[in-house]
Amino acid sequence: MPKNKIMIVEDEGLTAAYIQDILESVGYVVVAHEFSGEDAIESAMTTEPDLILMDIRLQGRMDGIEAAGEIQKRMSVPIVYLTAHSDKAILDRARITQPYGYVLKPFNSKELHSNIEMALYKHRTEKDLHVSAFYDTLTGLPNRSLFFDRFEQALKQAKRSQQSMALMMIDINAFASINETMGHEVGDQLLVDVASRLRDCIRESDTVARLGDDEFIIMLTGIKDPNDACDVATKIILSVGKPFYINSTNCSLGVSIGISIYPADGDSLKTLLKEADTAMYRAKECGKNRYRFFNETCEMINKDIGFLLDKLVSFVIARKGVWDQDGWVDLLIDIKRRGVPFSTDITRYVGALLESLKKLYVSALPVDANVDKIIPILSHEILDFILEHDGVWKQGDWEALLANVQTHGLEMSDDLYNVLRDSLESLNALYVLLCKKCSYNSRD
């Protein structure tokens, strides 16, 4: 167990040395000894002690009480005062800084040690209570109470700076069936993993919280355009939609997302929360892996993902799994002529799917397989699987797909398994990106 770090603030050299000897003899680490309040403030920020022993009377313009007040504005650290004076005026001033104890000089090692241990214990207890009061115990995300407090503060700032904000309600589709079929242990781990992926989808200035069960909420601050929320929602759908591998279990999740925008949709937490919740239920009514704005025109546009898949399969077969940069550029140009809207993400997933099809052609299938015939069949079975399940599947669905593949006389090798999994993930990402387009119309 790591030793507690103590900082001493004492302008009497002999007294400071005596205190340090006591602390080190009982197992503490003295990280700094400062003589003035000004130096104590700077040192506390760099050494990050677990506790500060602060003499009330110090040399210089700042006494220990003033220094303690400034330190507590910057960090949470317990402070125990050292003093030879116990007059009421001084104690009243010190009490304002909410110290964790007083040690009257002169003192012995037992008195000092017991006061430090009591202060450390009290601080740990308060910290644990704070965490349990404001953070979700399973995922470590802020809970409802902390999120609403942060949102209210951010809303005030947005009103002062005349910036926009977005509130996103997120629900995991059919999560109850996960607990029923796979058990609560797997369900809890999935929630932890989902929370981690959600954190990765937002900036440090934004906040994601767990409202309870399988519901999460996100606050996006300082957005330049409401369609910025579209980008985040799509990123979330793609991230959460990637397969989860827990205890040899392979499953994919879908989410329904409702979005409200400040100031276009309202100027209070109550209103924005209600509207985001309404939008989320609209998204759920439309199926899986959807997001909806409260005030929107959201149109499902079929970009003929079958055409895109056919082009990639034909490209691989025609070139027998070998091509150069010019061939890759020609393929992209040909696809763009069809009207497929390209972005960095779409190009990346087209490349990933192309690499998977290349591996399927070159090495994953048995040497005696008719690759020119079997690759289009397998590719469209994967696409049919995605369309049938709308990009969301469970372990049993995945196993059924693998079983269907084997009906073509193929042995499920590790290479074939991995290529099919990678192809499914890449094609599913393209399905989300190409077949779901949303635009936001603000109110008149």
Side-chain angles (χ1 to χ4, degrees), residues 141-265:
L141 294 177
N143 62 15
R144 178 188 300 264
S145 177
L146 180 57
F147 180 86
F148 289 167
D149 180 70
R150 288 186 181 179
F151 192 89
E152 290 283 12
Q153 297 303 315
L155 192 58
K156 292 177 182 177
Q157 176 61 32
K159 290 177 179 178
R160 287 194 296 267
S161 59
Q162 297 184 331
Q163 291 183 319
S164 294
M165 292 175 57
L167 186 64
M168 309 177 72
M169 293 281 291
I170 303 168
D171 181 77
I172 301 176
N173 297 320
F175 187 76
S177 64
I178 297 288
N179 285 329
E180 292 172 1
T181 58
M182 300 182 184
H184 287 277
E185 183 177 348
V186 171
D188 286 349
Q189 186 57 54
L190 279 172
L191 290 174
V192 172
D193 291 348
V194 167
S196 177
R197 294 188 187 187
L198 291 177
R199 284 193 196 96
D200 292 339
C201 290
I202 62 174
R203 305 162 299 176
E204 288 187 7
S205 58
D206 303 323
T207 299
V208 56
R210 184 185 178 203
L211 291 185
D213 295 331
D214 58 344
E215 285 193 343
F216 297 85
I217 189 167
I218 286 177
M219 170 181 66
L220 304 179
T221 59
I223 60 174
K224 297 179 180 179
D225 185 277
N227 283 303
D228 290 345
C230 286
D231 296 335
V232 177
T234 300
K235 192 175 182 180
I236 289 171
I237 291 172
L238 290 173
S239 180
V240 178
K242 290 181 180 180
F244 293 85
Y245 302 99
I246 300 174
N247 298 335
S248 301
T249 297
N250 173 4
C251 68
S252 177
L253 300 176
V255 291
S256 298
I257 305 174
I259 308 170
S260 61
I261 300 292
Y262 166 83
D265 294 331

Side-chain angles (χ1 to χ4, degrees), residues 121-133:
Y121 175 77
K122 180 182 177 183
H123 187 252
R124 283 193 298 267
T125 302
E126 290 178 352
K127 188 175 181 180
D128 290 343
L129 288 173
H130 175 80
V131 169
S132 63

Side-chain angles (χ1 to χ4, degrees), residues 321-380:
V322 179
W323 59 86
D324 56 17
Q325 180 65 21
D326 290 339
W328 163 247
V329 172
D330 289 342
L331 173 64
L332 293 181
I333 292 174
D334 194 21
I335 293 173
K336 288 181 181 179
R337 288 197 183 108
R338 173 76 180 204
V340 175
F342 265 73
S343 65
T344 301
D345 282 338
I346 290 176
T347 304
R348 177 162 58 91
Y349 282 113
V350 167
L353 180 56
L354 200 60
E355 286 299 313
S356 296
L357 293 173
K358 176 182 178 180
K359 291 177 183 177
L360 191 61
Y361 188 95
V362 173
S363 61
L365 292 172
V367 293
D368 57 345
N370 185 344
V371 292
D372 290 358
K373 179 180 179 181
I374 196 65
I375 288 179
I377 293 174
L378 293 181
S379 299
H380 277 277

